[in-house]
Amino acid sequence: MHFLFPKYLGTLLLFCLFFFSGYAQKEITTTDVLLGVKNIEQVQFDSIQLAFLKDYNHNLPLVNNVEFRSETRDLLFSRQEYAIRVKPNSLRAILAKKKVYSSMINEVEIQGQIHVNDELEDRYNLLIDYLYNEKLTAAYLLKKVQLEDKLTILKHTVYDANFEVRDVVDAEEALFDTQVVLQNLQEVHRHQNALLKLMVKETADSIYLKNNDLVTPGQILAIAAREKVSNDNLEIQLRQSKLETIEGEMGLDVAKSKKIIDFVQAKYGGKNSELFDENFAIGIGINIPFFGNAREKRSEHYFNKLRTESEILALKKAQEKEVVDAVENFRSTASKYQVFKDQAANSSVTALLNTYKTMEGVSPLILLKLKISEHNRVIDIIKIERVLYEKYIKMLAASNVLFQTPRVNFLNANSSLTE
């Protein structure tokens, strides 16, 4: 097997070069990527919008408007009349407007939180893809070396009596497929690397994602077992806040339609003919109840209220189904993962390989075939692990646990997501 050594040496040097080059790269963590969610433009815009709404006074004033009126009689200045008319807002309208304003602020705040949660879930999924893309790349690099060694051995046994041409054909096809997979993985890695740099606003040419504290599959199963479904569904809360806004607008329109005092007026008409006698009057305008003008608005509000209530019921039903599906998919993947792990632990290929390693005179080709078979199982486990992590995040998101506050990093073994 002396002819295998140069190839493995080259691979060793390649991995060493890759390992030490990591120190020249900018190191980031999963926490850095997740915390970067607060820096995206949409989240910052939502914060500015919310701050504006909270600082700006949208409440109805006690006085709606003040009018100054002047009227002349017979074009005589001495008979000039002056009046100040004040139109107040009713207390009922003021309270209704305050409710509308409060629920509108709540809507903006919830919508902003929805944007944060959507971005946060996307970042979790990208981190999983990135980390397992690297694992698969390393696994396929090793598989490529094994297949190249297999072809080298087969070329040296071309004149043996038990030589099979089909072995060469299969090995070359497998090597070609592996090279295609590696090329695709490398292209995906470049794209993911660019996305991560944008997410953490990193200007370095290259970054290195630290993953030594990544939560293990065993820890994932433990976390999933103890987490409960949260009722803090923001989409439902948003509709409920919209419902409060609609009810407040209905109350505001009713208050305006039932406003009794339209105005209060003070009028001065100049001096009278008698000494010290002034023409001064106080007037008041009373609205006669008439609801025809508000009927159309009220019908529109009732329609919007019924539609929003229907949306809330639909969202609640959809959430229940989403949670059930997400939990079931996770459990199914976890069961499949455990089967793969058990099969790998009790593999006859591994047992046979360990036996052959202690024996003399065993064909190098047989040993290499066993190693390739064993490594294929490793690749299968990496793939199912990736699905397990994805289903894990999907389940936490569907259950609203992923977005709980104070936030935690569910990819970090220490479960922390702090500055």
Side-chain angles (χ1 to χ4, degrees), residues 321-333:
K321 183 179 183 303
E322 185 180 6
V323 171
V324 171
D325 290 345
V327 171
E328 184 58 33
N329 288 336
F330 175 78
R331 288 175 178 172
S332 176
T333 305

Side-chain angles (χ1 to χ4, degrees), residues 144-191:
K144 177 175 177 288
V145 172
Q146 290 176 336
L147 290 170
E148 289 173 342
D149 287 338
K150 182 178 179 180
L151 281 171
T152 301
I153 294 176
L154 288 171
K155 289 177 182 178
H156 282 79
T157 60
V158 67
Y159 298 109
D160 292 354
N162 58 351
F163 175 76
E164 290 287 345
V165 176
R166 189 63 200 175
D167 289 343
V168 177
V169 174
D170 291 343
E172 286 191 345
E173 289 180 351
L175 179 59
F176 175 78
D177 292 340
T178 300
Q179 289 171 333
V180 171
V181 171
L182 277 172
Q183 184 177 358
N184 291 336
L185 289 172
Q186 289 164 359
E187 290 176 357
V188 171
H189 175 76
R190 284 192 291 269
H191 177 66

